[in-house]
Every structure is written in structure tokens, then in C-alpha cells.
Amino acid sequence: VGQALLDCGSGVWTNDYKNTLIKMLKKGEIKSFTEDHTTTSVSFDVKMNMSRLQRLLKGDLLKTFKLRNSLSTRNMHAFTLDMKIARYKSPQEIADAFFPVRLELYNDRKSVLESNMEYSASLMRNKARFIEAVSADEIDLLRGRKSKEATTELLEEMGFAKQSELNAIQMNNTVQRRRSALSTGLISDESTAEEDAPKDSTKEYDYLLSLPLSSLTAERIDALKDDASKTDAKLDAIKNTSASDLWREDLDKLEAYL
């Protein structure tokens, strides 16, 4: 007696496929079958004559057990980029139309990843430098002898990045520039930065001045610098990776689940 383990993934209901095996059992095509399903998979353990199994293994076993479905390609329609219905002659023709659109999205993704990483690294470096300056008494924050306005002016003199400047870094990607162009008719990093700048100039450094006292430690400085370095390394890796490579990486990850 031969034995075959069938993992069913042909797009049919479990009971429907079970009826298929029952019909094969009545016709004598198989000797018996048992079910061993889980919450995520359907599995039948089928026993049959060894000589018949050997013949099937040389032929089309999937077709015999109805584990392969045929799809007609005579009437394939899909939306085009401009949201019109078009008829395609083959799956390859659909793929050819789809690839440039998908690749452009990966270009956008790469641009957004780069701008977000540049923003994060710059933010962490400014925070680390700020904590070092406070610890060295270069900035009088703990004794409160300076007003917020005076402290803000000092931070600007010392060259700390303003929140609006950090925002401009984060918004410097193809997606945000395209959105800006659609809303204003202009592609301008300066206009985007101005739009996202705090209304009150004294709030430009709130991302530093609002840091809790518990973060003003040497350990926090080291952690921020370490995170900034790691982010810089990831940024370099992304810059040296093409949009096509990002797509291939995702396809490799997807393949493991197929």
C-alpha cells in the first residue's frame, strides 16, 4: 500500500475536497484516507495501491487528485494607472503594465526612509549635544536664571537645529514634495518647512527644553550617540540600495510564506 500526504491549497472548501476523496474511494482509486487538519492548513493522508501511486508519481499527481485549478485567460480586464478598464491578453501583459507603477512606489519608499532616518539621526545628535552642554554648564537650565526667550536665543547662537529645520529634513522626500506641488503648485522645501514651523519662535527648541531631568545623564548621552550612529549606518545602507533591490528583498521575504 502506498501513502501520499496531500496539503490542500487549491482554493476549495475542505468538505468539498473530502467529497472528492470519497468518490475516489468508492471508485476504488484509493484505499482509504484520514484527515489531519490544523487551524491554518488542510491535510489528508491518503493510502492507495503502490503500483498505482508509482504511476501517478511519474505523471500528473496534482491533476489526478484535483489539486490544480485552471483559470481562463480569455477575458482578463484590469484598471490602468488612469483608472480606466483595459483588456489584457496575458498575465505577463498585466505584469508589464504593473511593474513601472510598483517600482515608482519603491522609489518613494526609499526616499521616505532616507528622510526619516536623516531626521531621526539629526534629532538624536542635537539632543545628545544639548545634554552635554547642560551638564557642562554651558546652558543654564537647572538653576532657572534665564528666561525661555534668552535660552532660545542662546541655543540658536550655539547652532542647535530648530524644530522647523528638523521638519524640513523629514519632509524632504518625493512623497511630500509631490503633495506640496498638488496643494500649492510649487515644489519648495522652504515653503514646506515654513508651513510646519512652530507659530511661536520660542517653541522652536521645545524638543530640547522639554527633555525630562532624568534624561540629563552620561548614559543618556551615550545611548543617543549610539542610536544616531546606528541610524546613520542604516541610512548609508538604504542610500546604497536601489528601489529594485528593496523590491527584491520584499519578494524574497514573501517567497518564504508562499
Side-chain angles (χ1 to χ4, degrees):
V1 176
Q3 188 171 355
L5 185 63
L6 306 178
D7 290 318
C8 303
S10 59
V12 298
W13 291 104
T14 306
N15 284 338
D16 291 343
Y17 190 76
K18 181 177 179 179
N19 290 333
T20 298
L21 292 179
I22 291 174
K23 291 178 182 178
M24 295 178 72
L25 183 63
K26 290 179 178 178
K27 293 179 181 179
E29 296 175 345
I30 61 176
K31 290 187 174 296
S32 65
F33 69 87
T34 57
E35 301 176 63
D36 186 24
H37 314 312
T38 69
T39 56
T40 58
S41 65
V42 177
S43 180
F44 290 95
D45 191 2
V46 178
K47 293 182 179 181
M48 61 191 306
N49 183 279
M50 178 63 76
S51 59
R52 177 172 172 76
L53 177 59
Q54 290 176 342
R55 287 197 304 272
L56 291 176
L57 290 174
K58 294 178 182 178
D60 195 339
L61 181 66
L62 296 179
K63 182 178 180 181
T64 300
F65 280 95
K66 295 180 174 57
L67 293 174
R68 180 185 293 129
N69 287 334
S70 298
L71 299 175
S72 173
T73 60
R74 291 179 298 177
N75 189 27
M76 293 190 299
H77 289 76
F79 281 104
T80 62
L81 181 60
D82 54 359
M83 299 305 293
K84 295 180 180 179
I85 291 289
R87 185 179 184 277
Y88 295 90
K89 298 178 180 179
S90 67
Q92 289 75 21
E93 194 175 71
I94 296 177
D96 288 342
F98 162 81
F99 283 160
V101 179
R102 183 68 174 174
L103 185 58
E104 188 60 32
L105 292 175
Y106 271 93
N107 279 313
D108 284 344
R109 177 185 174 190
K110 172 179 163 65
S111 181
V112 170
L113 286 172
E114 289 177 358
S115 64
N116 283 341
M117 288 181 183
E118 287 181 5
Y119 168 83
S120 296
S122 182
L123 180 69
M124 287 183 282
R125 281 193 292 269
N126 274 273
K127 285 184 176 181
R129 184 183 160 216
F130 174 77
I131 295 172
E132 285 180 322
V134 172
S135 300
D137 283 333
E138 295 175 13
I139 299 173
D140 180 14
L141 187 67
L142 301 179
R143 288 181 290 273
R145 292 183 297 186
K146 285 188 177 181
S147 66
K148 182 178 181 180
E149 184 178 356
T151 302
T152 297
E153 291 175 357
L154 176 62
L155 292 173
E156 186 172 3
E157 290 174 5
M158 295 177 70
F160 284 95
K162 298 178 180 179
Q163 184 64 63
S164 58
E165 294 169 342
L166 294 174
N167 290 345
I169 293 174
Q170 189 174 33
M171 303 290 280
N172 185 26
N173 57 64
T174 57
V175 175
Q176 293 297 339
R177 287 198 292 271
R178 192 158 57 245
R179 287 177 179 172
S180 177
L182 289 173
S183 62
T184 66
L186 296 172
I187 300 179
S188 171
D189 292 340
E190 288 77 15
S191 63
T192 301
E194 183 179 348
E195 185 178 296
D196 290 333
K199 301 297 182 181
D200 185 349
S201 61
T202 61
K203 295 183 178 180
E204 285 278 18
Y205 294 106
D206 277 2
Y207 77 97
L208 297 175
L209 298 177
S210 62
L211 287 173
L213 292 177
S214 59
S215 67
L216 304 180
T217 63
E219 290 80 8
R220 182 57 175 160
I221 294 172
D222 292 339
L224 286 167
K225 287 183 176 180
D226 184 55
D227 287 343
S229 296
K230 290 178 179 178
T231 303
D232 283 335
K234 291 179 182 178
L235 175 59
D236 289 339
I238 286 293
K239 286 184 175 180
N240 293 322
T241 301
S242 68
S244 298
D245 289 335
L246 287 177
W247 194 353
R248 291 190 185 97
E249 289 175 6
D250 282 350
L251 290 176
D252 288 339
K253 294 175 183 176
L254 176 62
E255 187 177 20
Y257 294 92
L258 297 178

